[in-house]
PDB file of all heavy atoms in Angstrom:
ATOM      1  N   MET A   1       4.725 -15.876   2.780  1.00 92.00           N
ATOM      2  CA  MET A   1       4.547 -15.280   4.115  1.00 92.00           C
ATOM      3  C   MET A   1       5.262 -13.940   3.972  1.00 92.00           C
ATOM      4  O   MET A   1       6.486 -13.966   3.413  1.00 92.00           O
ATOM      5  CB  MET A   1       5.059 -16.093   5.231  1.00 92.00           C
ATOM      6  CG  MET A   1       4.161 -17.200   5.537  1.00 92.00           C
ATOM      7  SD  MET A   1       4.701 -18.045   7.084  1.00 92.00           S
ATOM      8  CE  MET A   1       3.311 -19.189   7.267  1.00 92.00           C
ATOM      9  N   MET A   2       4.691 -12.939   4.428  1.00 95.00           N
ATOM     10  CA  MET A   2       5.210 -11.625   4.462  1.00 95.00           C
ATOM     11  C   MET A   2       5.446 -11.047   5.846  1.00 95.00           C
ATOM     12  O   MET A   2       4.506 -11.136   6.577  1.00 95.00           O
ATOM     13  CB  MET A   2       4.470 -10.588   3.533  1.00 95.00           C
ATOM     14  CG  MET A   2       4.441 -10.997   2.108  1.00 95.00           C
ATOM     15  SD  MET A   2       3.778  -9.702   1.012  1.00 95.00           S
ATOM     16  CE  MET A   2       5.213  -8.749   0.878  1.00 95.00           C
ATOM     17  N   ASP A   3       6.644 -10.525   6.097  1.00 95.00           N
ATOM     18  CA  ASP A   3       7.032  -9.897   7.393  1.00 95.00           C
ATOM     19  C   ASP A   3       6.264  -8.508   7.450  1.00 95.00           C
ATOM     20  O   ASP A   3       6.598  -7.657   6.715  1.00 95.00           O
ATOM     21  CB  ASP A   3       8.484  -9.776   7.517  1.00 95.00           C
ATOM     22  CG  ASP A   3       8.816  -9.173   8.865  1.00 95.00           C
ATOM     23  OD1 ASP A   3       8.055  -8.892   9.701  1.00 95.00           O
ATOM     24  OD2 ASP A   3      10.080  -9.084   9.069  1.00 95.00           O
ATOM     25  N   VAL A   4       5.424  -8.256   8.518  1.00 93.00           N
ATOM     26  CA  VAL A   4       4.750  -7.012   8.580  1.00 93.00           C
ATOM     27  C   VAL A   4       5.530  -6.206   9.558  1.00 93.00           C
ATOM     28  O   VAL A   4       5.459  -4.912   9.683  1.00 93.00           O
ATOM     29  CB  VAL A   4       3.320  -7.143   9.158  1.00 93.00           C
ATOM     30  CG1 VAL A   4       2.566  -5.878   9.393  1.00 93.00           C
ATOM     31  CG2 VAL A   4       2.553  -7.987   8.185  1.00 93.00           C
ATOM     32  N   GLY A   5       6.579  -6.761  10.334  1.00 91.00           N
ATOM     33  CA  GLY A   5       7.329  -6.062  11.333  1.00 91.00           C
ATOM     34  C   GLY A   5       6.883  -6.588  12.727  1.00 91.00           C
ATOM     35  O   GLY A   5       5.703  -7.066  12.910  1.00 91.00           O
ATOM     36  N   GLY A   6       7.713  -6.439  13.746  1.00 88.00           N
ATOM     37  CA  GLY A   6       7.382  -6.835  14.988  1.00 88.00           C
ATOM     38  C   GLY A   6       7.102  -8.257  15.199  1.00 88.00           C
ATOM     39  O   GLY A   6       6.346  -8.707  16.216  1.00 88.00           O
ATOM     40  N   GLY A   7       7.657  -9.101  14.279  1.00 86.00           N
ATOM     41  CA  GLY A   7       7.229 -10.498  14.496  1.00 86.00           C
ATOM     42  C   GLY A   7       5.965 -10.958  13.879  1.00 86.00           C
ATOM     43  O   GLY A   7       5.624 -12.042  14.062  1.00 86.00           O
ATOM     44  N   ASN A   8       5.238  -9.998  13.193  1.00 90.00           N
ATOM     45  CA  ASN A   8       3.937 -10.286  12.748  1.00 90.00           C
ATOM     46  C   ASN A   8       3.998 -10.721  11.212  1.00 90.00           C
ATOM     47  O   ASN A   8       4.778 -10.020  10.488  1.00 90.00           O
ATOM     48  CB  ASN A   8       3.000  -9.115  12.954  1.00 90.00           C
ATOM     49  CG  ASN A   8       2.829  -8.798  14.386  1.00 90.00           C
ATOM     50  OD1 ASN A   8       2.344  -9.642  15.157  1.00 90.00           O
ATOM     51  ND2 ASN A   8       3.260  -7.642  14.783  1.00 90.00           N
ATOM     52  N   ILE A   9       3.059 -11.444  10.817  1.00 92.00           N
ATOM     53  CA  ILE A   9       3.207 -12.148   9.443  1.00 92.00           C
ATOM     54  C   ILE A   9       1.824 -12.113   8.856  1.00 92.00           C
ATOM     55  O   ILE A   9       0.836 -12.497   9.457  1.00 92.00           O
ATOM     56  CB  ILE A   9       3.692 -13.633   9.511  1.00 92.00           C
ATOM     57  CG1 ILE A   9       5.159 -13.626  10.049  1.00 92.00           C
ATOM     58  CG2 ILE A   9       3.616 -14.302   8.115  1.00 92.00           C
ATOM     59  CD1 ILE A   9       5.713 -14.965  10.300  1.00 92.00           C
ATOM     60  N   ILE A  10       1.758 -11.833   7.457  1.00 92.00           N
ATOM     61  CA  ILE A  10       0.623 -12.014   6.670  1.00 92.00           C
ATOM     62  C   ILE A  10       0.943 -13.178   5.820  1.00 92.00           C
ATOM     63  O   ILE A  10       2.029 -13.124   4.985  1.00 92.00           O
ATOM     64  CB  ILE A  10       0.198 -10.834   5.793  1.00 92.00           C
ATOM     65  CG1 ILE A  10      -0.250  -9.642   6.703  1.00 92.00           C
ATOM     66  CG2 ILE A  10      -0.936 -11.162   4.914  1.00 92.00           C
ATOM     67  CD1 ILE A  10      -0.572  -8.481   5.819  1.00 92.00           C
ATOM     68  N   GLU A  11       0.202 -14.247   5.744  1.00 90.00           N
ATOM     69  CA  GLU A  11       0.368 -15.317   4.795  1.00 90.00           C
ATOM     70  C   GLU A  11      -0.590 -15.124   3.684  1.00 90.00           C
ATOM     71  O   GLU A  11      -1.810 -14.872   3.788  1.00 90.00           O
ATOM     72  CB  GLU A  11       0.009 -16.699   5.371  1.00 90.00           C
ATOM     73  CG  GLU A  11       0.284 -17.860   4.613  1.00 90.00           C
ATOM     74  CD  GLU A  11      -0.034 -19.158   5.390  1.00 90.00           C
ATOM     75  OE1 GLU A  11      -0.692 -19.229   6.387  1.00 90.00           O
ATOM     76  OE2 GLU A  11       0.623 -20.218   4.911  1.00 90.00           O
ATOM     77  N   ILE A  12      -0.118 -15.140   2.447  1.00 91.00           N
ATOM     78  CA  ILE A  12      -0.850 -14.694   1.339  1.00 91.00           C
ATOM     79  C   ILE A  12      -0.946 -16.049   0.356  1.00 91.00           C
ATOM     80  O   ILE A  12       0.091 -16.592   0.015  1.00 91.00           O
ATOM     81  CB  ILE A  12      -0.216 -13.616   0.535  1.00 91.00           C
ATOM     82  CG1 ILE A  12      -0.130 -12.419   1.449  1.00 91.00           C
ATOM     83  CG2 ILE A  12      -1.112 -13.362  -0.670  1.00 91.00           C
ATOM     84  CD1 ILE A  12       0.548 -11.142   0.936  1.00 91.00           C
ATOM     85  N   PHE A  13      -2.225 -16.443   0.152  1.00 86.00           N
ATOM     86  CA  PHE A  13      -2.485 -17.568  -0.724  1.00 86.00           C
ATOM     87  C   PHE A  13      -2.910 -17.121  -2.157  1.00 86.00           C
ATOM     88  O   PHE A  13      -3.903 -16.337  -2.268  1.00 86.00           O
ATOM     89  CB  PHE A  13      -3.538 -18.417  -0.202  1.00 86.00           C
ATOM     90  CG  PHE A  13      -3.143 -19.222   1.062  1.00 86.00           C
ATOM     91  CD1 PHE A  13      -3.604 -18.701   2.308  1.00 86.00           C
ATOM     92  CD2 PHE A  13      -2.423 -20.377   0.998  1.00 86.00           C
ATOM     93  CE1 PHE A  13      -3.263 -19.401   3.533  1.00 86.00           C
ATOM     94  CE2 PHE A  13      -2.110 -21.000   2.168  1.00 86.00           C
ATOM     95  CZ  PHE A  13      -2.451 -20.419   3.454  1.00 86.00           C
ATOM     96  N   GLY A  14      -2.182 -17.565  -3.185  1.00 86.00           N
ATOM     97  CA  GLY A  14      -2.625 -17.295  -4.486  1.00 86.00           C
ATOM     98  C   GLY A  14      -3.953 -18.056  -4.758  1.00 86.00           C
ATOM     99  O   GLY A  14      -4.245 -19.023  -4.191  1.00 86.00           O
ATOM    100  N   ALA A  15      -4.705 -17.481  -5.794  1.00 76.00           N
ATOM    101  CA  ALA A  15      -5.998 -18.226  -6.051  1.00 76.00           C
ATOM    102  C   ALA A  15      -5.829 -19.333  -6.905  1.00 76.00           C
ATOM    103  O   ALA A  15      -5.637 -19.203  -8.023  1.00 76.00           O
ATOM    104  CB  ALA A  15      -7.002 -17.087  -6.626  1.00 76.00           C
ATOM    105  N   GLY A  16      -5.826 -20.467  -6.309  1.00 62.00           N
ATOM    106  CA  GLY A  16      -5.765 -21.751  -7.086  1.00 62.00           C
ATOM    107  C   GLY A  16      -7.032 -22.137  -7.882  1.00 62.00           C
ATOM    108  O   GLY A  16      -8.187 -21.405  -7.598  1.00 62.00           O
ATOM    109  N   PRO A  17      -7.008 -23.116  -8.809  1.00 57.00           N
ATOM    110  CA  PRO A  17      -8.154 -23.359  -9.634  1.00 57.00           C
ATOM    111  C   PRO A  17      -9.434 -23.863  -8.817  1.00 57.00           C
ATOM    112  O   PRO A  17     -10.507 -23.699  -9.360  1.00 57.00           O
ATOM    113  CB  PRO A  17      -7.720 -24.401 -10.503  1.00 57.00           C
ATOM    114  CG  PRO A  17      -6.555 -25.033  -9.820  1.00 57.00           C
ATOM    115  CD  PRO A  17      -5.919 -23.957  -8.942  1.00 57.00           C
ATOM    116  N   ASP A  18      -9.236 -24.392  -7.561  1.00 61.00           N
ATOM    117  CA  ASP A  18     -10.452 -24.868  -6.879  1.00 61.00           C
ATOM    118  C   ASP A  18     -11.017 -24.030  -5.739  1.00 61.00           C
ATOM    119  O   ASP A  18     -11.854 -24.376  -5.008  1.00 61.00           O
ATOM    120  CB  ASP A  18     -10.008 -26.187  -6.224  1.00 61.00           C
ATOM    121  CG  ASP A  18      -9.480 -27.350  -7.185  1.00 61.00           C
ATOM    122  OD1 ASP A  18     -10.101 -27.309  -8.383  1.00 61.00           O
ATOM    123  OD2 ASP A  18      -8.620 -28.034  -6.812  1.00 61.00           O
ATOM    124  N   VAL A  19     -10.595 -22.744  -5.812  1.00 59.00           N
ATOM    125  CA  VAL A  19     -11.015 -21.742  -4.947  1.00 59.00           C
ATOM    126  C   VAL A  19     -12.157 -20.934  -5.439  1.00 59.00           C
ATOM    127  O   VAL A  19     -12.001 -20.220  -6.410  1.00 59.00           O
ATOM    128  CB  VAL A  19      -9.879 -20.799  -4.407  1.00 59.00           C
ATOM    129  CG1 VAL A  19     -10.311 -19.857  -3.358  1.00 59.00           C
ATOM    130  CG2 VAL A  19      -8.673 -21.801  -3.796  1.00 59.00           C
ATOM    131  N   PRO A  20     -13.288 -20.936  -4.838  1.00 62.00           N
ATOM    132  CA  PRO A  20     -14.413 -20.107  -5.268  1.00 62.00           C
ATOM    133  C   PRO A  20     -14.138 -18.538  -5.040  1.00 62.00           C
ATOM    134  O   PRO A  20     -13.330 -18.158  -4.178  1.00 62.00           O
ATOM    135  CB  PRO A  20     -15.599 -20.519  -4.470  1.00 62.00           C
ATOM    136  CG  PRO A  20     -14.993 -21.109  -3.205  1.00 62.00           C
ATOM    137  CD  PRO A  20     -13.689 -21.642  -3.547  1.00 62.00           C
ATOM    138  N   GLU A  21     -14.639 -17.746  -6.015  1.00 64.00           N
ATOM    139  CA  GLU A  21     -14.427 -16.254  -5.844  1.00 64.00           C
ATOM    140  C   GLU A  21     -14.916 -15.740  -4.578  1.00 64.00           C
ATOM    141  O   GLU A  21     -14.298 -14.740  -4.203  1.00 64.00           O
ATOM    142  CB  GLU A  21     -15.034 -15.475  -7.152  1.00 64.00           C
ATOM    143  CG  GLU A  21     -14.278 -15.703  -8.362  1.00 64.00           C
ATOM    144  CD  GLU A  21     -12.959 -14.963  -8.379  1.00 64.00           C
ATOM    145  OE1 GLU A  21     -12.845 -13.876  -7.876  1.00 64.00           O
ATOM    146  OE2 GLU A  21     -12.024 -15.527  -8.873  1.00 64.00           O
ATOM    147  N   ASP A  22     -15.939 -16.218  -4.018  1.00 65.00           N
ATOM    148  CA  ASP A  22     -16.526 -15.641  -2.785  1.00 65.00           C
ATOM    149  C   ASP A  22     -15.780 -16.195  -1.576  1.00 65.00           C
ATOM    150  O   ASP A  22     -16.219 -16.071  -0.490  1.00 65.00           O
ATOM    151  CB  ASP A  22     -17.971 -15.866  -2.755  1.00 65.00           C
ATOM    152  CG  ASP A  22     -18.362 -17.362  -2.608  1.00 65.00           C
ATOM    153  OD1 ASP A  22     -17.566 -18.259  -2.857  1.00 65.00           O
ATOM    154  OD2 ASP A  22     -19.565 -17.551  -2.469  1.00 65.00           O
ATOM    155  N   HIS A  23     -14.615 -16.796  -1.651  1.00 61.00           N
ATOM    156  CA  HIS A  23     -13.860 -17.349  -0.507  1.00 61.00           C
ATOM    157  C   HIS A  23     -13.701 -16.147   0.412  1.00 61.00           C
ATOM    158  O   HIS A  23     -13.259 -15.101   0.110  1.00 61.00           O
ATOM    159  CB  HIS A  23     -12.529 -17.950  -0.935  1.00 61.00           C
ATOM    160  CG  HIS A  23     -11.840 -18.511   0.108  1.00 61.00           C
ATOM    161  ND1 HIS A  23     -12.156 -19.788   0.607  1.00 61.00           N
ATOM    162  CD2 HIS A  23     -10.843 -18.086   0.950  1.00 61.00           C
ATOM    163  CE1 HIS A  23     -11.335 -20.159   1.610  1.00 61.00           C
ATOM    164  NE2 HIS A  23     -10.603 -19.233   1.956  1.00 61.00           N
ATOM    165  N   PRO A  24     -13.980 -16.239   1.776  1.00 58.00           N
ATOM    166  CA  PRO A  24     -13.867 -15.133   2.683  1.00 58.00           C
ATOM    167  C   PRO A  24     -12.441 -14.768   2.854  1.00 58.00           C
ATOM    168  O   PRO A  24     -11.595 -15.561   2.856  1.00 58.00           O
ATOM    169  CB  PRO A  24     -14.520 -15.716   4.003  1.00 58.00           C
ATOM    170  CG  PRO A  24     -14.466 -17.104   3.851  1.00 58.00           C
ATOM    171  CD  PRO A  24     -14.503 -17.543   2.458  1.00 58.00           C
ATOM    172  N   HIS A  25     -12.255 -13.463   3.134  1.00 68.00           N
ATOM    173  CA  HIS A  25     -10.945 -12.905   3.552  1.00 68.00           C
ATOM    174  C   HIS A  25     -11.109 -12.448   5.031  1.00 68.00           C
ATOM    175  O   HIS A  25     -12.155 -12.479   5.473  1.00 68.00           O
ATOM    176  CB  HIS A  25     -10.482 -11.898   2.616  1.00 68.00           C
ATOM    177  CG  HIS A  25     -11.565 -10.708   2.394  1.00 68.00           C
ATOM    178  ND1 HIS A  25     -12.435 -10.681   1.370  1.00 68.00           N
ATOM    179  CD2 HIS A  25     -11.745  -9.534   3.088  1.00 68.00           C
ATOM    180  CE1 HIS A  25     -13.137  -9.596   1.416  1.00 68.00           C
ATOM    181  NE2 HIS A  25     -12.719  -8.894   2.469  1.00 68.00           N
ATOM    182  N   PHE A  26     -10.076 -12.001   5.629  1.00 73.00           N
ATOM    183  CA  PHE A  26     -10.212 -11.449   6.967  1.00 73.00           C
ATOM    184  C   PHE A  26     -11.022 -10.217   7.082  1.00 73.00           C
ATOM    185  O   PHE A  26     -11.204  -9.418   6.053  1.00 73.00           O
ATOM    186  CB  PHE A  26      -8.789 -11.172   7.665  1.00 73.00           C
ATOM    187  CG  PHE A  26      -7.828 -10.549   7.012  1.00 73.00           C
ATOM    188  CD1 PHE A  26      -7.963  -9.145   6.851  1.00 73.00           C
ATOM    189  CD2 PHE A  26      -6.809 -11.117   6.189  1.00 73.00           C
ATOM    190  CE1 PHE A  26      -7.022  -8.305   6.127  1.00 73.00           C
ATOM    191  CE2 PHE A  26      -5.931 -10.453   5.581  1.00 73.00           C
ATOM    192  CZ  PHE A  26      -5.899  -9.102   5.481  1.00 73.00           C
ATOM    193  N   GLU A  27     -11.692  -9.952   8.261  1.00 68.00           N
ATOM    194  CA  GLU A  27     -12.448  -8.751   8.466  1.00 68.00           C
ATOM    195  C   GLU A  27     -11.715  -7.424   8.284  1.00 68.00           C
ATOM    196  O   GLU A  27     -12.065  -6.663   7.482  1.00 68.00           O
ATOM    197  CB  GLU A  27     -13.010  -8.844   9.898  1.00 68.00           C
ATOM    198  CG  GLU A  27     -13.735  -7.553  10.414  1.00 68.00           C
ATOM    199  CD  GLU A  27     -15.063  -7.284   9.580  1.00 68.00           C
ATOM    200  OE1 GLU A  27     -15.658  -8.209   9.085  1.00 68.00           O
ATOM    201  OE2 GLU A  27     -15.403  -6.108   9.439  1.00 68.00           O
ATOM    202  N   HIS A  28     -10.606  -7.369   8.978  1.00 86.00           N
ATOM    203  CA  HIS A  28      -9.680  -6.323   8.684  1.00 86.00           C
ATOM    204  C   HIS A  28      -8.390  -6.639   9.451  1.00 86.00           C
ATOM    205  O   HIS A  28      -8.245  -7.384  10.466  1.00 86.00           O
ATOM    206  CB  HIS A  28     -10.174  -4.885   9.051  1.00 86.00           C
ATOM    207  CG  HIS A  28     -10.082  -4.547  10.475  1.00 86.00           C
ATOM    208  ND1 HIS A  28     -11.168  -4.809  11.358  1.00 86.00           N
ATOM    209  CD2 HIS A  28      -9.076  -3.988  11.282  1.00 86.00           C
ATOM    210  CE1 HIS A  28     -10.829  -4.272  12.562  1.00 86.00           C
ATOM    211  NE2 HIS A  28      -9.671  -3.972  12.620  1.00 86.00           N
ATOM    212  N   ILE A  29      -7.295  -5.983   9.032  1.00 89.00           N
ATOM    213  CA  ILE A  29      -5.979  -6.129   9.727  1.00 89.00           C
ATOM    214  C   ILE A  29      -5.515  -4.730  10.000  1.00 89.00           C
ATOM    215  O   ILE A  29      -5.729  -3.793   9.217  1.00 89.00           O
ATOM    216  CB  ILE A  29      -4.890  -6.769   8.873  1.00 89.00           C
ATOM    217  CG1 ILE A  29      -3.672  -7.139   9.668  1.00 89.00           C
ATOM    218  CG2 ILE A  29      -4.770  -6.217   7.562  1.00 89.00           C
ATOM    219  CD1 ILE A  29      -2.697  -7.995   9.088  1.00 89.00           C
ATOM    220  N   ALA A  30      -5.041  -4.502  11.328  1.00 89.00           N
ATOM    221  CA  ALA A  30      -4.665  -3.208  11.670  1.00 89.00           C
ATOM    222  C   ALA A  30      -3.142  -3.274  11.784  1.00 89.00           C
ATOM    223  O   ALA A  30      -2.524  -4.074  12.445  1.00 89.00           O
ATOM    224  CB  ALA A  30      -5.239  -2.890  13.087  1.00 89.00           C
ATOM    225  N   LEU A  31      -2.571  -2.376  11.002  1.00 91.00           N
ATOM    226  CA  LEU A  31      -1.193  -2.265  11.009  1.00 91.00           C
ATOM    227  C   LEU A  31      -0.705  -0.999  11.788  1.00 91.00           C
ATOM    228  O   LEU A  31      -1.366   0.052  11.644  1.00 91.00           O
ATOM    229  CB  LEU A  31      -0.570  -2.040   9.459  1.00 91.00           C
ATOM    230  CG  LEU A  31      -0.967  -3.091   8.535  1.00 91.00           C
ATOM    231  CD1 LEU A  31      -0.454  -2.709   7.090  1.00 91.00           C
ATOM    232  CD2 LEU A  31      -0.351  -4.415   8.955  1.00 91.00           C
ATOM    233  N   LYS A  32       0.305  -1.250  12.723  1.00 90.00           N
ATOM    234  CA  LYS A  32       0.784  -0.134  13.500  1.00 90.00           C
ATOM    235  C   LYS A  32       1.386   0.893  12.577  1.00 90.00           C
ATOM    236  O   LYS A  32       2.102   0.588  11.537  1.00 90.00           O
ATOM    237  CB  LYS A  32       1.899  -0.646  14.544  1.00 90.00           C
ATOM    238  CG  LYS A  32       1.356  -1.419  15.659  1.00 90.00           C
ATOM    239  CD  LYS A  32       2.449  -1.882  16.547  1.00 90.00           C
ATOM    240  CE  LYS A  32       1.912  -2.864  17.632  1.00 90.00           C
ATOM    241  NZ  LYS A  32       3.072  -3.341  18.473  1.00 90.00           N
ATOM    242  N   SER A  33       1.063   2.108  12.968  1.00 92.00           N
ATOM    243  CA  SER A  33       1.605   3.231  11.895  1.00 92.00           C
ATOM    244  C   SER A  33       2.286   4.378  12.704  1.00 92.00           C
ATOM    245  O   SER A  33       1.936   4.544  13.881  1.00 92.00           O
ATOM    246  CB  SER A  33       0.357   3.880  11.248  1.00 92.00           C
ATOM    247  OG  SER A  33       0.717   4.825  10.442  1.00 92.00           O
ATOM    248  N   VAL A  34       3.340   4.917  12.209  1.00 92.00           N
ATOM    249  CA  VAL A  34       3.903   6.217  12.734  1.00 92.00           C
ATOM    250  C   VAL A  34       3.349   7.318  12.070  1.00 92.00           C
ATOM    251  O   VAL A  34       3.573   8.429  12.610  1.00 92.00           O
ATOM    252  CB  VAL A  34       5.506   6.074  12.768  1.00 92.00           C
ATOM    253  CG1 VAL A  34       6.030   4.842  13.613  1.00 92.00           C
ATOM    254  CG2 VAL A  34       6.001   5.870  11.396  1.00 92.00           C
ATOM    255  N   ASP A  35       2.862   7.295  10.842  1.00 95.00           N
ATOM    256  CA  ASP A  35       2.342   8.223  10.132  1.00 95.00           C
ATOM    257  C   ASP A  35       1.056   7.843   9.350  1.00 95.00           C
ATOM    258  O   ASP A  35       1.255   7.340   8.353  1.00 95.00           O
ATOM    259  CB  ASP A  35       3.339   8.908   9.211  1.00 95.00           C
ATOM    260  CG  ASP A  35       2.945  10.164   8.544  1.00 95.00           C
ATOM    261  OD1 ASP A  35       1.740  10.341   8.320  1.00 95.00           O
ATOM    262  OD2 ASP A  35       3.719  10.976   8.141  1.00 95.00           O
ATOM    263  N   VAL A  36      -0.045   7.891   9.945  1.00 95.00           N
ATOM    264  CA  VAL A  36      -1.313   7.386   9.422  1.00 95.00           C
ATOM    265  C   VAL A  36      -1.568   8.075   7.944  1.00 95.00           C
ATOM    266  O   VAL A  36      -1.953   7.317   7.000  1.00 95.00           O
ATOM    267  CB  VAL A  36      -2.551   7.578  10.334  1.00 95.00           C
ATOM    268  CG1 VAL A  36      -3.828   7.227   9.636  1.00 95.00           C
ATOM    269  CG2 VAL A  36      -2.274   6.667  11.547  1.00 95.00           C
ATOM    270  N   GLN A  37      -1.407   9.305   7.896  1.00 97.00           N
ATOM    271  CA  GLN A  37      -1.767  10.051   6.606  1.00 97.00           C
ATOM    272  C   GLN A  37      -0.821   9.483   5.626  1.00 97.00           C
ATOM    273  O   GLN A  37      -1.283   9.249   4.351  1.00 97.00           O
ATOM    274  CB  GLN A  37      -1.475  11.626   6.820  1.00 97.00           C
ATOM    275  CG  GLN A  37      -1.922  12.393   5.590  1.00 97.00           C
ATOM    276  CD  GLN A  37      -3.368  12.280   5.216  1.00 97.00           C
ATOM    277  OE1 GLN A  37      -4.232  12.256   6.011  1.00 97.00           O
ATOM    278  NE2 GLN A  37      -3.613  12.257   3.972  1.00 97.00           N
ATOM    279  N   ASP A  38       0.452   9.293   5.826  1.00 95.00           N
ATOM    280  CA  ASP A  38       1.395   8.839   4.837  1.00 95.00           C
ATOM    281  C   ASP A  38       1.031   7.427   4.469  1.00 95.00           C
ATOM    282  O   ASP A  38       1.078   7.153   3.196  1.00 95.00           O
ATOM    283  CB  ASP A  38       2.806   8.922   5.373  1.00 95.00           C
ATOM    284  CG  ASP A  38       3.806   8.453   4.296  1.00 95.00           C
ATOM    285  OD1 ASP A  38       3.930   9.251   3.210  1.00 95.00           O
ATOM    286  OD2 ASP A  38       4.582   7.532   4.609  1.00 95.00           O
ATOM    287  N   ASP A  39       0.779   6.500   5.362  1.00 95.00           N
ATOM    288  CA  ASP A  39       0.378   5.163   5.077  1.00 95.00           C
ATOM    289  C   ASP A  39      -0.801   5.135   4.184  1.00 95.00           C
ATOM    290  O   ASP A  39      -0.875   4.370   3.202  1.00 95.00           O
ATOM    291  CB  ASP A  39       0.339   4.370   6.351  1.00 95.00           C
ATOM    292  CG  ASP A  39       1.517   4.016   6.955  1.00 95.00           C
ATOM    293  OD1 ASP A  39       2.639   3.973   6.377  1.00 95.00           O
ATOM    294  OD2 ASP A  39       1.562   3.594   8.179  1.00 95.00           O
ATOM    295  N   TYR A  40      -1.821   5.919   4.565  1.00 97.00           N
ATOM    296  CA  TYR A  40      -3.070   5.962   3.754  1.00 97.00           C
ATOM    297  C   TYR A  40      -2.830   6.518   2.464  1.00 97.00           C
ATOM    298  O   TYR A  40      -3.219   5.839   1.406  1.00 97.00           O
ATOM    299  CB  TYR A  40      -3.956   7.032   4.562  1.00 97.00           C
ATOM    300  CG  TYR A  40      -5.292   7.203   3.875  1.00 97.00           C
ATOM    301  CD1 TYR A  40      -6.294   6.329   3.931  1.00 97.00           C
ATOM    302  CD2 TYR A  40      -5.479   8.440   3.190  1.00 97.00           C
ATOM    303  CE1 TYR A  40      -7.565   6.694   3.442  1.00 97.00           C
ATOM    304  CE2 TYR A  40      -6.745   8.633   2.654  1.00 97.00           C
ATOM    305  CZ  TYR A  40      -7.782   7.896   2.662  1.00 97.00           C
ATOM    306  OH  TYR A  40      -8.971   8.115   2.172  1.00 97.00           O
ATOM    307  N   GLN A  41      -2.032   7.504   2.181  1.00 97.00           N
ATOM    308  CA  GLN A  41      -1.758   8.006   0.888  1.00 97.00           C
ATOM    309  C   GLN A  41      -0.912   7.007   0.012  1.00 97.00           C
ATOM    310  O   GLN A  41      -1.139   6.835  -1.197  1.00 97.00           O
ATOM    311  CB  GLN A  41      -1.062   9.272   0.952  1.00 97.00           C
ATOM    312  CG  GLN A  41      -1.900  10.451   1.446  1.00 97.00           C
ATOM    313  CD  GLN A  41      -3.169  10.687   0.496  1.00 97.00           C
ATOM    314  OE1 GLN A  41      -3.145  10.439  -0.619  1.00 97.00           O
ATOM    315  NE2 GLN A  41      -4.259  11.077   1.202  1.00 97.00           N
TER     316      GLN A  41
END
């Protein structure tokens, strides 16, 4: 589990041997930014 800030968390699962490659991921996650251009770069 990773702290994104503000009490928000991303849980990251490693690809175990029984997980198909096409396992869905989330649509998108929006991270609050103070400098969009810097975060993008």
Side-chain angles (χ1 to χ4, degrees):
M1 287 188 167
M2 297 193 76
D3 182 1
V4 179
N8 301 300
I9 296 170
I10 298 176
E11 184 176 24
I12 301 174
F13 292 100
D18 299 325
V19 179
E21 280 294 316
D22 64 349
H23 186 79
H25 53 271
F26 49 78
E27 173 63 30
H28 79 267
I29 186 167
L31 301 178
K32 290 180 185 175
S33 179
V34 295
D35 188 333
V36 169
Q37 182 68 36
D38 184 61
D39 287 338
Y40 176 79
Q41 292 300 327

